[in-house]
Amino acid sequence: MSSLSIRPLEERDHLAATGLLVHLNPDCSTDVLIKRFRTILADHPHYLPIGAFDGETMIGFGGAWIATKIWCGRYLEVDNIVVHPEHRSSGIGSALMEYFEKIAHERDCNIAVLDSYTSNYDSHRFYHRHGYQIWGFHFVKPLASIDR
């Protein structure tokens, strides 16, 4: 890796981001991922898409939301941290997490939260190493079929 840089995405980076999201969502078509990513960007101006770059090549991606809940006040929710498989275990995921936590501090968030699939044991170890604790469960009730 020549030089790692972490920065907010520009429009020209969006296709590369969805290319990385395929690694987290292998059962979802690229077309659906692109549509969902564009919808998030259009509907949620507070969404923070961040990329990790080796030179000009995006090798990691994450997004985050900042919002407020009654029980905790202002919080940052990390969403979809993904590192290209060829670059995993090289500090890129940690760099993305540190970037998001810096944003959380700058924007006066009380906590940082995230979801992880129950079967994604590697991510559980990663998040535990970064100080995240399991405080509860995220319950889901499907109301319609999920496009893949």
Side-chain angles (χ1 to χ4, degrees):
M1 185 170 13
S2 60
S3 63
L4 181 67
S5 62
I6 309 285
R7 64 167 172 78
L9 297 192
E10 299 172 11
E11 189 171 336
R12 65 186 168 97
D13 302 317
H14 293 174
L15 191 57
T18 55
L20 286 172
L21 287 168
V22 168
H23 295 286
L24 274 184
N25 304 277
D27 296 332
C28 198
S29 75
T30 301
D31 289 340
V32 168
L33 290 173
I34 290 169
K35 180 180 176 187
R36 288 178 181 167
F37 188 66
R38 287 181 177 155
T39 300
I40 289 169
L41 294 171
D43 291 353
H44 304 281
H46 59 284
Y47 182 71
L48 306 167
I50 305 297
F53 294 84
D54 180 9
E56 293 297 312
T57 304
M58 187 185 309
I59 56 176
F61 168 78
W65 317 82
I66 294 178
T68 301
K69 290 189 178 192
I70 296 295
W71 75 271
C72 65
R74 194 167 173 86
Y75 70 98
L76 178 134
E77 181 175 353
V78 177
D79 190 37
N80 293 311
I81 293 287
V82 60
V83 175
H84 191 283
E86 294 175 8
H87 297 277
R88 291 185 181 154
S89 298
S90 61
I92 295 160
S94 295
L96 284 165
M97 294 301 290
E98 290 169 14
Y99 191 95
F100 283 123
E101 289 174 16
K102 181 178 181 229
I103 290 171
H105 287 291
E106 290 171 353
R107 300 202 185 171
D108 296 322
C109 294
N110 295 320
I111 62 172
V113 301
L114 55 86
D115 286 335
S116 177
Y117 293 119
T118 56
S119 61
N120 192 346
Y121 303 112
D122 290 340
S123 75
H124 303 167
R125 285 189 294 276
F126 174 80
Y127 295 128
H128 283 299
R129 280 195 314 270
H130 287 276
Y132 287 78
Q133 304 167 8
I134 299 171
W135 281 18
F137 296 100
H138 188 96
F139 289 91
V140 177
K141 179 182 179 180
L143 301 174
S145 67
I146 299 172
D147 292 336
R148 299 242 178 234

